[in-house]
Amino acid sequence: MPYLFLAPAMALFVAFFAVPIGYTLYLGTRGTKVSGLGLGKGSRREVSVGFDNYQATLTDHEFWAGWLRVLGYGVVVLTVMLGLAVLFALLLDSAHARLKRVSRIAIFLPYAVPGVVASLLWGFLYLPSLSPIHAVLHWFGLQANLFDPDVVMFSMANIAVWGGTGFNMLVLYTHLRSISPEYYEAARLDGASEFQIATRIKLPMLVPSLILTTVFSIIATSQVFTEPMTLRPISNTISSTWSPLMMVFTQAFKNLDLYSAAATSIVIAAISLVLSFGFLRVVRKRAFSEES
Amino acid sequence: MRRRFGLTPTVLLLIGAVYSLLPVVWVLVAATKSRAELFSSNAFQPGTGLWDNLVELTDHRDGIFWRWTLNTALYAGVGALLSTMVSAISGYTLAKFRFPGRNLIFNLLIGGILVPSVVLAIPQYLLLAKVGLADTYWSVLLPGILHPYSIYLARVYAGAAIPDSMIEAARIDGAGEFRLLNRIALPMMVPGLVTIFLFQFVAIWNNFLLPFIMLADDRKFPLTVGLYTWLATGANQPALYTLVITGALISIIPLIALFLTMQRYWRTDLTSGAVKG
Amino acid sequence: MPHGLPRRSALGLLLGAAGAAALGGVAACSSDDDKTTATPEETGPVELVYWTWAPNMDKIAEVWNKANPNIKVTISNQGGGNESAAKFLTAAKAGNAPDIMQAEYQMLPSFVAAEAVADIKSLVSGAKSAFSDGLWGLVTLGTDAVYGLPQDSGPMGLFYRVDLLEKYGVAVPKTWDEYAAAARKVHAADKSVYFGGFSNKDGGWFAGLSQQAGGQWWSIAGDTWKVGINDAATTKVAEFWGGLVKDGVVDTQAWWSNEWNAAFTNGKLLTWCSAVWAPGVLSSNVPSTKGKWAMAPLPQWTAGESFSGFWGGSAASISASSKHKSAAAKFLTWLNTDPAAVDLLVKQAQVYPAASAGQSSLTTPPEYFSNQASFWKDAAAISSGARGFTFGPNVNAAYTAYEDSFGKAIQAKSSFTDALTSVQQATIADMTKAGFKVAS
């Protein structure tokens, strides 16, 4: 009976995950062979190249540099986004803040904006001549080029933070709501301030939720793609291989080399797998304690 | 204890709200600008072209924009519905049944989260083309149904919302498994399923790469791909800026409306099961 | 089936007889399965699908469909650029390609190498005389096959703000030396204003400037390719711009960005080395400066010459898998050589037509350039000086390398010659990887 219930999911899994991944693995071992100029009929054949493509990816300096860039970007995004999410969740749950409903909806709203559209909006907002950001900086007596090599990462991180904070905030806030108020009453009677309650009682209780949101955020940032893709046309500093996933896109859609793209994607998936499984192990111990 | 008005927390929240709304406000303002105003006037100064922009949007290629809107609603609506059903059944089964291979199946399904969609889109296209389904509505609907994250959520909800004792009682009363699923399990999971539905709806609504690769016929495009084709016209063709911005505004309105009406039903508590268990 | 799955792969078994009958939902591209297989019927009603990004192509197809009810052309608007080329190749690999595809000239060799487009020499025998030799060479690739018909073209010229050149007291530069002097003069007068710009965002633009200087990035010797991206002519072009960038006297922001549009709008950018399709772009991105621009020939490397290059432009090709090649060829011949159709291309699709007759029949200047009555005559003169060019089978890879290396060089103000060398190396490496023989 359970197998019958799981049949639709498993069938879809085989058709849309397992087989495509298998096919990608296979494509990664293929390449082209050209006879003559490669312009006549039948002058290009698909042949097996063994593990050449995989080897090329693994030894590509640019590929690992991309991982490094994403690592730096990920640290920025994760700390800022989750920090803000925790802050806003605690504020929403605090006794003294007002306008909570409006703020909650407003901060959650960006989640509904498609990535393509979000990047377009920010692309406009980063315009020095039109941007309110520049106006604010100017007010503080600062000048910034948001596409400067040292700054562009933060410009991208900002888009990710803007899009992701609300969602994570809601996850954490819902968790806070499920905690019985009894926990705080005793502290209040002892004269603890709201701030102390938030930092000493609520924050430790949020840890399971935080671990989970962290894992999902790590997966999301390691696959960063939309933000650099959409900012690339307006900045000189984002290369076509800025992030590992962009490298796949460049190989497949710009250099028209499906085989290398397949190999690179398999390597990326493997790295993501290793990264996340470490975390998932930790998480499952906490989230599914009934299983261990 | 008297509720005091806390200035600092309120101000902090408002700053967050303003930051979040800023781009949305900008697109609202920008959609009112004519082409000439777009690059010459201040970012937050309303223009005079909203009506013209809407007319142009509707006239462009015989109103293809509205067709895209309908397509998107179809992809997101039907896709999210199918996805929620599959996730619900799978989540319930994984949470409430003990059977060999349970953890393996669960880990396999969850492992799907780790595979970037960019990686899957091309092989999925090549395989669907093999069976003659590429460039059909199915090619966008089918790959989106299985969503690891939703299955994960459904499992947590089922574990938290359905007491084992109830299932036992129903089984003792001789209820069949299907009846049990339909009459007891699914109704109890509804609040969580609404959340899954909304997640999926938003995810499909915002999906770009999969439909971009799958669809050749622009009459089947969803909004994201359609707007992209307007933005990325050939190098020597003018981009349709005002149309894109007006279109972008219209494309987020339904989602905002959905949020405002459905926000009561959001249940994003991923760990409640764990906390209680 | 040279590409795609081997029939007996484990995958095929998994899928349950790959390529079995479709389970409902038929791909639009093959919506009319012919009963005949060897020589398809061409007399009966056929439906052709045309992927294009030219605006209003559906209206032009409408005109054709009214006159030719038996050959119905359906337009599917795709975005332009690399992604749609990749999409076409993926569709061709999957046997799902449209009948007709708009192909940028530089993409044609890639399409031909992937066997995605058909040789239509026998179907368009009379068309050759309608085009200049330079454009015809772009669809034959110098072989004796014909891989499409030229649709539009982009001979390059210098577009300048008449009023602002006067304001800053500079004449329209006749040579690149004069251009450099003007750039220094204008920027010295006002630090926020630039005479012109250099962009790393469009390899096609740089290739066009290289063509003007006489560069040949790809050439064929026997059965091997030769790559000369860092040849003497192109190195000269790169060093010229590298010097201006290093001194900070040309604008280096990304083209096509909103900021760039704003710079034109606010008079911070005085000129643009572009192609004859520029009026369309300017009128959509910088509508407020209408009537203030004029077009001149590109500055020359040697005074008195009148060379130009091509930037952009595309052919229309018939896919190798199309079942209705001769019907498609009829439509293409009409679209690109019939005077009435070419007129529609100009007026509706806003392109500079490839057909010579079409070019010379243009009289009324674009609305945006209404102040330059001789616009089209000047364009024809510029066009006649555009030098030929051979595109290789991996232009995309070269352009991507150009974007990356020159982006770095702009940012670091480092040597453009070195950047060019790394483009050369990346292009050769990519060709070698794809299995081409490259002469070193």
Side-chain angles (χ1 to χ4, degrees):
Chain A
M1 185 48 77
Y3 297 110
L4 185 68
F5 281 163
L6 283 173
M10 287 319 287
L12 286 167
F13 178 81
V14 169
F16 293 104
F17 280 88
V19 174
I21 290 170
Y23 189 36
T24 311
L25 266 167
Y26 163 80
L27 272 180
T29 65
R30 313 288 289 170
T32 45
K33 194 169 162 45
V34 177
S35 49
L37 290 172
L39 294 179
K41 246 193 157 23
S43 58
R44 230 159 87 146
R45 286 182 302 120
E46 187 180 299
V47 294
S48 169
V49 295
F51 291 102
D52 289 4
N53 293 331
Y54 293 99
Q55 201 186 339
T57 297
L58 288 170
T59 54
D60 186 346
H61 167 78
E62 191 50 35
F63 178 72
W64 298 109
W67 275 107
L68 252 172
R69 281 187 290 263
V70 167
L71 192 74
Y73 163 90
V75 168
V76 172
V77 171
L78 280 176
T79 43
V80 176
M81 181 170 76
L82 294 173
L84 285 176
V86 170
L87 173 72
F88 290 137
L90 289 172
L91 288 172
L92 286 177
D93 200 49
S94 79
H96 301 322
R98 293 286 181 274
L99 302 166
K100 286 190 226 180
R101 218 185 110 97
V102 178
S103 308
R104 193 181 72 214
I105 296 169
I107 298 171
F108 190 43
L109 207 61
Y111 173 70
V113 179
V116 178
V117 175
S119 299
L120 175 91
L121 302 191
W122 282 104
F124 263 98
L125 285 173
Y126 287 160
L127 282 172
S129 56
L130 305 177
S131 170
I133 303 167
H134 285 270
V136 170
L137 286 171
H138 200 77
W139 197 58
F140 286 110
L142 293 165
Q143 266 288 25
N145 168 12
L146 293 169
F147 299 126
D148 192 81
D150 309 325
V151 182
V152 79
M153 194 178 87
F154 295 96
S155 302
M156 271 190 280
N158 172 58
I159 300 177
V161 168
W162 179 77
T165 300
F167 171 72
N168 289 305
M169 169 195 79
L170 213 64
V171 171
L172 298 168
Y173 174 64
T174 323
H175 185 176
L176 283 174
R177 301 282 297 182
S178 70
I179 300 170
S180 155
E182 292 157 23
Y183 282 105
Y184 320 132
E185 291 307 322
R188 278 214 181 88
L189 291 176
D190 289 347
S193 69
E194 279 298 319
F195 180 77
Q196 284 170 322
I197 290 173
T199 49
R200 302 227 178 125
I201 301 175
K202 292 181 182 177
L203 204 55
M205 292 188 116
L206 274 178
V207 167
S209 273
L210 258 176
I211 289 180
L212 207 65
T213 46
T214 307
V215 171
F216 287 125
S217 304
I218 287 174
I219 295 169
T221 39
S222 74
Q223 297 175 2
V224 58
F225 175 70
T226 314
E227 293 88 2
M229 272 312 271
T230 27
L231 286 188
R232 189 175 126 74
I234 44 182
S235 139
N236 288 336
T237 46
I238 303 170
S239 69
S240 64
T241 50
W242 191 88
S243 85
L245 219 53
M246 276 176 80
M247 192 165 174
V248 174
F249 189 85
T250 299
Q251 285 171 333
F253 284 86
K254 290 227 161 88
N255 302 352
L256 313 173
D257 181 356
L258 216 51
Y259 312 107
S260 298
T264 309
S265 19
I266 292 289
V267 175
I268 292 175
I271 293 175
S272 299
L273 208 72
V274 170
L275 276 182
S276 318
F277 250 83
F279 282 101
L280 275 180
R281 282 185 80 106
V282 177
V283 173
R284 256 215 314 282
K285 279 216 176 66
R286 287 181 170 277
F288 299 113
S289 40
E290 81 269 17
E291 272 182 52
S292 37
Chain B
M1 155 147 204
R2 210 160 38 83
R3 283 285 160 114
R4 287 184 303 117
F5 168 72
L7 186 67
T8 316
T10 310
V11 168
L12 281 173
L13 271 181
L14 276 182
I15 290 174
V18 168
Y19 163 71
S20 302
L21 288 178
L22 197 73
V24 181
V25 172
W26 176 83
V27 78
L28 248 164
V29 174
T32 67
K33 295 186 183 200
S34 69
R35 274 209 314 242
E37 288 162 340
L38 195 58
F39 295 114
S40 55
S41 60
N42 182 305
F44 290 98
Q45 181 185 331
T48 52
L50 180 61
W51 182 249
D52 295 344
N53 288 344
L54 287 171
V55 169
E56 201 183 340
L57 192 71
T58 302
D59 287 347
H60 191 86
R61 290 207 71 203
D62 309 323
I64 195 154
F65 176 83
W66 300 107
R67 199 185 157 113
W68 292 341
T69 312
L70 283 177
N71 287 343
T72 310
L74 176 89
Y75 290 135
V78 176
L81 205 63
L82 289 170
S83 177
T84 309
M85 278 161 40
V86 171
S87 304
I89 297 173
S90 313
Y92 161 75
T93 313
L94 289 166
K96 292 295 169 192
F97 284 82
R98 297 278 181 276
F99 54 93
R102 183 175 78 134
N103 280 345
L104 176 72
I105 290 179
F106 180 66
N107 286 341
L108 267 181
L109 293 176
I110 291 298
I113 296 184
L114 307 177
V115 185
S117 54
V118 178
V119 170
L120 288 170
I122 297 175
Q124 280 174 347
Y125 170 79
L126 292 171
L127 293 165
L128 278 171
K130 282 265 175 286
V131 293
L133 280 179
D135 197 26
T136 62
Y137 282 100
W138 291 111
S139 66
V140 178
L141 280 174
L142 291 173
I145 294 176
L146 189 73
H147 196 248
Y149 193 53
S150 302
I151 291 182
Y152 172 77
L153 283 180
R155 177 179 171 159
V156 174
Y157 294 139
I162 311 167
D164 284 349
S165 54
M166 241 175 128
I167 298 179
E168 292 310 316
R171 282 196 182 131
I172 289 165
D173 289 346
E177 290 297 341
F178 276 102
R179 199 182 148 83
L180 193 81
L181 177 77
N182 274 326
R183 292 289 166 84
I184 295 172
L186 290 181
M188 294 188 84
M189 287 168 70
V190 162
L193 293 184
V194 171
T195 307
I196 291 177
F197 176 85
L198 288 173
F199 271 136
Q200 272 304 89
F201 192 90
V202 173
I204 298 174
W205 188 281
N206 294 351
N207 198 347
F208 165 75
L209 199 77
L210 181 85
F212 174 76
I213 292 175
M214 289 290 176
L215 299 171
D217 177 0
D218 60 353
R219 284 164 308 178
K220 299 195 188 83
F221 283 175
L223 280 168
T224 42
V225 178
L227 290 177
Y228 171 84
T229 60
W230 280 356
L231 206 56
T233 45
N236 52 353
Q237 295 294 351
L240 306 153
Y241 282 115
T242 48
L243 287 187
V244 171
I245 288 171
T246 315
L249 173 67
I250 292 172
S251 76
I252 48 183
I253 288 175
L255 286 179
I256 292 175
L258 188 81
F259 267 43
L260 295 180
T261 50
M262 304 284 258
Q263 58 144 341
R264 294 184 287 138
Y265 302 105
W266 281 105
R267 293 273 194 293
T268 46
D269 189 356
L270 308 178
T271 48
S272 61
V275 174
K276 288 176 187 154
Chain C
M1 289 180 40
H3 294 296
L5 293 170
R7 272 289 154 92
R8 288 203 183 158
S9 64
L11 209 52
L13 297 174
L14 258 177
L15 273 176
L23 311 162
V26 183
C29 302
S30 54
S31 51
D32 43 341
D33 284 335
D34 270 60
K35 293 286 172 286
T36 52
T37 43
T39 46
E41 289 285 308
E42 295 287 10
T43 49
V46 295
E47 188 175 329
L48 304 171
V49 176
Y50 179 13
W51 283 8
T52 175
W53 56 84
N56 297 322
M57 194 54 94
D58 47 328
K59 295 199 175 70
I60 301 174
E62 210 48 53
V63 175
W64 163 267
N65 290 342
K66 276 214 176 66
N68 302 275
N70 274 347
I71 304 177
K72 181 170 183 278
V73 176
T74 309
I75 301 298
S76 178
N77 255 48
Q78 308 288 322
N82 286 328
E83 287 80 10
S84 67
K87 197 170 156 177
F88 171 70
L89 283 178
T90 317
K93 189 179 164 78
N96 254 347
D99 298 281
I100 308 169
M101 171 74 188
Q102 181 176 356
E104 293 177 300
Y105 293 123
Q106 75 267 16
M107 291 310 309
L108 254 189
S110 304
F111 290 173
V112 172
E115 293 183 43
V117 295
D119 174 6
I120 52 172
K121 188 177 181 164
S122 56
L123 301 174
V124 294
S125 48
K128 182 178 190 298
S129 57
F131 306 97
S132 71
D133 290 347
L135 285 173
W136 193 248
L138 290 174
V139 293
T140 62
L141 315 186
T143 63
D144 57 2
V146 178
Y147 294 110
L149 286 186
Q151 190 153 304
D152 57 294
S153 103
M156 292 177 77
L158 180 72
F159 294 76
Y160 63 95
R161 280 281 296 272
V162 181
D163 52 337
L164 293 176
L165 255 60
E166 205 166 305
K167 179 182 164 189
Y168 290 97
V170 288
V172 178
K174 295 258 184 300
T175 63
W176 287 111
D177 285 344
E178 287 175 21
Y179 180 98
R184 290 177 206 285
K185 183 175 173 179
V186 168
H187 191 63
D190 182 343
K191 286 279 178 255
S192 73
V193 176
Y194 291 100
F195 184 70
F198 177 91
S199 171
N200 69 316
K201 288 297 164 203
D202 204 316
W205 174 78
F206 188 69
L209 290 180
S210 158
Q211 286 167 44
Q212 188 214 9
Q216 278 295 357
W217 289 11
W218 285 271
S219 50
I220 295 171
D223 68 343
T224 46
W225 286 95
K226 197 168 172 309
V227 182
I229 293 178
N230 59 351
D231 62 8
T234 314
T235 305
K236 178 171 70 179
V237 178
E239 277 175 358
F240 172 80
W241 289 102
L244 293 179
V245 168
K246 197 169 172 169
D247 297 348
V249 293
V250 287
D251 178 46
T252 53
Q253 67 173 311
W255 286 7
W256 316 113
S257 67
N258 304 318
E259 188 64 14
W260 182 69
N261 295 335
F264 278 134
T265 306
N266 304 328
K268 301 289 181 199
L269 258 176
L270 275 45
T271 67
W272 182 28
C273 295
S274 183
V276 294
W277 39 257
V281 173
L282 290 170
S283 66
S284 91
N285 298 14
V286 202
S288 56
T289 56
K290 187 176 141 189
K292 296 181 178 169
W293 291 80
M295 173 179 67
L298 280 181
Q300 299 295 314
W301 289 102
T302 309
E305 287 177 342
S306 59
F307 285 122
S308 176
F310 286 112
W311 178 23
S314 49
S317 298
I318 298 176
S319 67
S321 59
S322 170
K323 293 194 184 72
H324 314 291
K325 291 192 180 65
S326 72
K330 280 192 192 114
F331 168 71
L332 280 193
T333 308
W334 172 82
L335 179 66
N336 296 307
T337 64
D338 183 277
V342 173
D343 191 51
L344 285 170
L345 275 180
V346 173
K347 292 205 171 73
Q348 295 276 8
Q350 296 165 30
V351 299
Y352 186 62
S356 316
Q359 293 180 2
S360 52
S361 72
L362 290 166
T363 47
T364 321
E367 201 193 343
Y368 197 84
F369 280 73
S370 50
N371 52 322
Q372 190 175 5
S374 61
F375 185 92
W376 293 120
K377 219 172 81 201
D378 299 346
I382 287 173
S383 186
S384 65
R387 284 176 152 171
F389 201 66
T390 307
F391 284 112
N394 70 332
V395 179
N396 265 349
Y399 285 4
T400 308
Y402 166 83
E403 287 172 38
D404 287 350
S405 334
F406 277 76
K408 277 200 195 99
I410 286 173
Q411 215 59 48
K413 296 204 165 168
S414 58
S415 155
F416 273 29
T417 318
D418 296 350
L420 196 64
T421 307
S422 66
V423 177
Q424 164 89 354
Q425 285 162 348
T427 309
I428 291 177
D430 179 80
M431 280 178 86
T432 314
K433 189 164 186 232
F436 289 96
K437 282 206 264 308
V438 186
S440 46

